[in-house]
Amino acid sequence: MFSLGSWLPALPGLEWGWALLDALLRGLVGACAVSVLCSLLKVYLYIQCLNDPEQQAQKEAMRAQRWVPELLQVLVLMGILAMVGSRVAALVVLEFSLRAISTLLSLGKGARSTQLLLLCQYSLGCGLSCGLSFLLEGAPHSTCNLGLAVGLAGLLATYARRLAHHVCTLYELHSRARYCGICLFLLASGHGVPRLLRKALAVTFAVADLAAVGLINRDFLSTAEAARFWTPLTICYALLVAHMQGENLGPAYGRGGPGQSVPQTVLVRMGGLFILLLTIGRWADVLHVLLSLLGELWCLLGAGAMLAACRRQ
């Protein structure tokens, strides 16, 4: 039931139109969350590069990013998240959660966990989309609630982007002159940004995982049907996580760091999900996996300078 649609007369295609609007709003919330994450990581990594003479090239690359490409990235990501179905979005969230837990347990913290924050961009967008879809399912005023969520997410994204622009432009001057309160706060406490983001993402993905399981299970009419889906999915995810960990701990890890084959890792992950859904999924799911691959690569394209900074830490 749609909030605004319930106040209008029944017209052909009206319900479909409100469903599309809700999907776009959920996608925009997810894209704004990704923008907040990238802006805060940009602040942290810029300060780290500023303190390291060997990372001046990465610092200049992050400073060179302009507002228009960032806005374009948000809009494109919003469209991708809106088109990806809740089933595939839920699978992406579950896959990343398993991989993140395995990575943190086996590789520890530091620059690797900072890079993991960058790699979760698309999964974060899918997680918020899944969570909102699950929590607002059947709500009488879901469209209005999504509108409020978009307003809050847009406000946070705007202020986070302004903070990143301020830091990239004036932090070096203000931190030396002890002039700006924001820059002085970052000078004293900026090292805690990754820890803050990890805690926020842990809560977000915990809710998203519960929502993802609920969204997937609602399509099954019996326990046997659910078992036929979850059994190969669990095996596929276990093998995929084991393969990713083997790649990270192998000789290549020592040569170039975990970020050296990030696009290849994305292709392997989405390729495994693609093959799995060819077997037990629907044709729409296969198309949504291809869109998810595009979304992952699009997020990585905008974070190239930050990934390079993470590799050098």
Side-chain angles (χ1 to χ4, degrees), residues 30 33-34 37 93 96 120-129 201 204-205:
V34 173
L37 174 66
V93 170
F96 177 81
C120 80
Q121 294 178 68
Y122 181 73
S123 300
L124 173 62
C126 289
L128 283 173
S129 179
L201 289 173
T204 302
F205 276 103

Side-chain angles (χ1 to χ4, degrees), residues 48-280:
Q48 296 299 310
C49 291
L50 189 64
N51 298 328
D52 187 353
E54 297 182 357
Q55 297 197 50
Q56 297 307 303
Q58 285 75 25
K59 182 197 75 172
E60 294 301 327
M62 284 187 281
R63 176 185 286 180
Q65 287 183 313
R66 292 293 180 261
W67 183 78
V68 173
E70 292 177 356
L71 178 60
L72 178 63
Q73 185 177 9
V74 169
L75 294 177
V76 172
L77 185 58
M78 176 195 72
I80 294 174
L81 291 173
M83 289 187 290
V84 171
S86 59
R87 185 184 177 103
V88 171
L91 293 176
V92 170
V93 170
L94 292 175
E95 185 272 334
F96 177 81
S97 298
L98 291 175
R99 187 163 53 90
I101 293 173
S102 176
T103 301
L104 292 176
L105 290 177
S106 60
L107 298 181
K109 300 179 180 179
R112 298 164 185 170
S113 62
T114 303
Q115 178 173 281
L116 189 63
L117 295 177
L118 281 172
L119 297 180
C120 80
Q121 294 178 68
Y122 181 73
S123 300
L124 173 62
C126 289
L128 283 173
S129 179
C130 285
L132 290 172
S133 178
F134 181 77
L135 294 174
L136 296 178
E137 186 176 12
H141 303 294
S142 59
T143 305
C144 290
N145 293 332
L146 286 172
L148 292 174
V150 166
L152 177 60
L155 188 65
L156 291 174
T158 300
Y159 278 106
R161 190 184 302 117
R162 288 180 180 176
L163 175 63
H165 177 72
H166 177 84
V167 169
C168 292
T169 306
L170 298 172
Y171 176 82
E172 187 172 3
L173 175 63
H174 288 174
S175 61
R176 291 176 180 174
R178 299 292 194 269
Y179 174 72
C180 173
I182 295 176
C183 295
L184 289 178
F185 175 78
L186 291 173
L187 181 64
S189 306
H191 60 276
V193 171
R195 183 171 61 253
L196 174 66
L197 291 176
R198 282 194 295 268
K199 291 180 179 179
L201 289 173
V203 175
T204 302
F205 276 103
V207 176
D209 289 337
L210 295 175
V213 174
L215 289 173
I216 294 174
N217 284 335
R218 72 179 181 182
D219 294 331
F220 303 130
L221 300 177
S222 64
T223 305
E225 187 179 357
R228 284 196 298 270
F229 180 85
W230 282 107
T231 301
L233 179 67
T234 303
I235 296 173
C236 177
Y237 276 2
L239 293 175
L240 191 60
V241 169
H243 173 74
M244 293 295 101
Q245 293 306 107
E247 289 291 325
N248 286 339
L249 295 174
Y253 186 86
R255 288 197 302 267
Q260 186 177 20
S261 58
V262 168
Q264 181 182 356
T265 300
V266 172
L267 290 174
V268 171
R269 288 170 45 221
M270 291 300 162
L273 191 57
F274 179 83
I275 295 174
L276 176 68
L277 291 178
L278 277 177
T279 307
I280 60 175

